[in-house]
Amino acid sequence: MSGPTWEGDGPGAVPTGPRGIAGWLRVLLRGSALGLVTFGGLAVLLLVRLVERPLCGLRRPVTPHITQAVCRAAIVILGLRRTQSGQPMPGPGAIVANHASWLDIFALNAGQRVYFVSKSEVAAWPGIGWLARATGTLFIKRDRREARAQADLFAERLAAGHLLLFFPEGTSTDGRRVLPFKTTLFQAFLSDAIPGDMAIQPVTLSYHAPVGEDARFYGWWGDMEFGAHLLQTLAARRQGRIHVTYHPPVRAADHANRKDLARSCETAVRGPVTALVNGASNADQG
C-alpha cells in the first residue's frame, strides 16, 4: 500500500509498534478478528454483487449495507469509540472530509453508505485497489482538463442514488490540521451535468489519541509504513476516540465558482480541528 505524501512541518510521530507480550497478544486477537470480518464481509459482498449487478446495474440496494456493517464491526474490534454530532445527509449528493488516517474509511462508512472518489492510481495498488473496486469506489484523474468528464461520471453516479465522498486535501495529515482544499473536483459539481439542487455536506474527523500517547497517534502521513501504523493501532492497550462532525449541507449552485465552494466547505471542516488543537494547547498551559 503506497503511503500518503504530506511530509508535515516537523518530526513525525514514528509508530512505536507492539510493547511486550500483551501488546502482541492484542495484535493477534484484534488482527485476526479484523481480517476475518473484513475479508469475510468482502466475500459475502462479492457473492451478493453477482446477483445485484445484473439486476440493478450501478444501483446497489444491498452491498453498501454490507460495507457499512463491516466498518462498524471493525471500529468495535479495534476498541475505538466513535461519537458524532450533526446528522448525516441522505443521498444522493457529495461528502467532503478532512483526511488524517486509513481509519477514516471505517469512521465515514460507519455513519453513511458512501462511495469514495479516489485518484486513479489507487486502482492499481495491491489489495487496496481490489477492495476499493469491489466497494464501488469511483476512480478519477485529478486534472482540471478532466472536469467535464468527471462531471458526467458524477452525474451518472448521482442518478443511481449514490452519495459520493472525497478528500479535497489530496493527502492525509497528522490529524492536527486541515490542509488547503484543492479546488479541481469542485468544478465538476458546478457543471450543467449536475442537478442544480445537489448538496455537498462538509464532514470533520477529529481524532483523540489514547491517554498518554502522542496527540498525532492516529495520524498517518509522510513516509510512515502502513504495516507499522496498523500494528501500533492494533496493539494499543487503551484506544482513543474518533468524533465525526456532520455540518449542514451546502448547495453547490449557491456558490459563484469552484474556489468559493471549496472555501465554504474548507471553513466548515477546519473549525472542529482548530478547536480540538486549541483546546489541547489551553489544557497544557493550564
Side-chain angles (χ1 to χ4, degrees):
M1 180 175 181
S2 298
T5 57
W6 180 73
E7 296 296 338
D9 52 11
V14 179
T16 57
R19 300 168 185 169
I21 296 176
W24 282 107
L25 183 59
R26 286 189 288 272
V27 169
L28 178 62
L29 293 176
R30 287 174 176 164
S32 298
L34 185 62
L36 181 62
V37 166
T38 300
F39 292 102
L42 176 62
V44 172
L45 184 150
L46 292 174
L47 287 173
V48 173
R49 189 61 184 153
L50 289 175
V51 177
E52 185 185 58
R53 183 171 183 174
L55 292 178
C56 306
L58 275 180
R59 297 181 184 277
R60 293 178 175 231
V62 179
T63 50
H65 292 274
I66 298 173
T67 301
Q68 186 175 42
V70 167
C71 289
R72 288 177 174 176
I75 290 174
V76 173
I77 290 169
L78 289 170
L80 283 162
R81 287 188 300 131
R82 181 189 180 279
T83 56
Q84 73 176 54
S85 54
Q87 291 299 317
M89 179 185 78
I95 304 294
V96 295
N98 59 308
H99 192 15
S101 174
W102 51 273
L103 290 164
D104 298 348
I105 296 172
F106 293 130
L108 292 166
N109 261 317
Q112 294 170 289
R113 292 182 291 278
V114 298
Y115 296 86
F116 286 86
V117 177
S118 179
K119 59 186 180 181
S120 56
E121 295 88 337
V122 174
W125 288 2
I128 298 300
W130 186 46
L131 285 169
R133 288 193 298 272
T135 53
T137 297
L138 177 60
F139 299 104
I140 53 94
K141 294 181 179 179
R142 291 180 179 271
D143 187 331
R144 194 173 302 170
R145 294 170 297 182
E146 299 285 334
R148 180 64 197 189
Q150 291 167 3
D152 290 340
L153 286 173
F154 292 167
E156 183 181 28
R157 288 298 193 94
L158 293 171
H162 292 190
L163 185 59
L164 303 175
L165 190 152
F166 65 101
F167 299 113
E169 293 166 290
T171 184
S172 57
T173 71
D174 59 4
R176 309 292 290 173
R177 69 206 71 211
V178 175
L179 301 179
F181 279 12
K182 299 181 184 299
T183 64
T184 302
L185 284 183
F186 287 93
Q187 182 61 47
F189 294 110
L190 297 173
S191 167
D192 293 338
I194 301 296
D197 61 348
M198 198 211 76
I200 298 178
Q201 183 171 39
V203 174
T204 304
L205 294 164
S206 304
Y207 283 87
H208 300 256
V211 175
E213 297 289 355
D214 190 298
R216 303 166 296 174
F217 184 83
Y218 293 115
W220 179 58
W221 78 97
D223 59 357
M224 287 185 183
E225 292 290 337
F226 171 71
H229 197 277
L230 173 63
L231 287 176
Q232 173 182 266
T233 304
L234 291 172
R237 184 171 67 87
R238 291 184 179 178
Q239 293 285 10
R241 176 168 62 94
I242 308 171
H243 186 78
V244 185
T245 304
Y246 294 96
H247 302 281
V250 299
R251 273 179 22 112
D254 290 342
H255 298 77
N257 52 55
R258 72 175 192 278
K259 292 183 178 180
D260 186 34
L261 178 56
R263 188 181 304 113
S264 175
C265 293
E266 181 186 329
T267 299
V269 171
R270 187 183 300 278
V273 175
T274 300
L276 173 64
V277 174
N278 289 342
S281 298
N282 293 334
D284 291 340
Q285 295 172 5

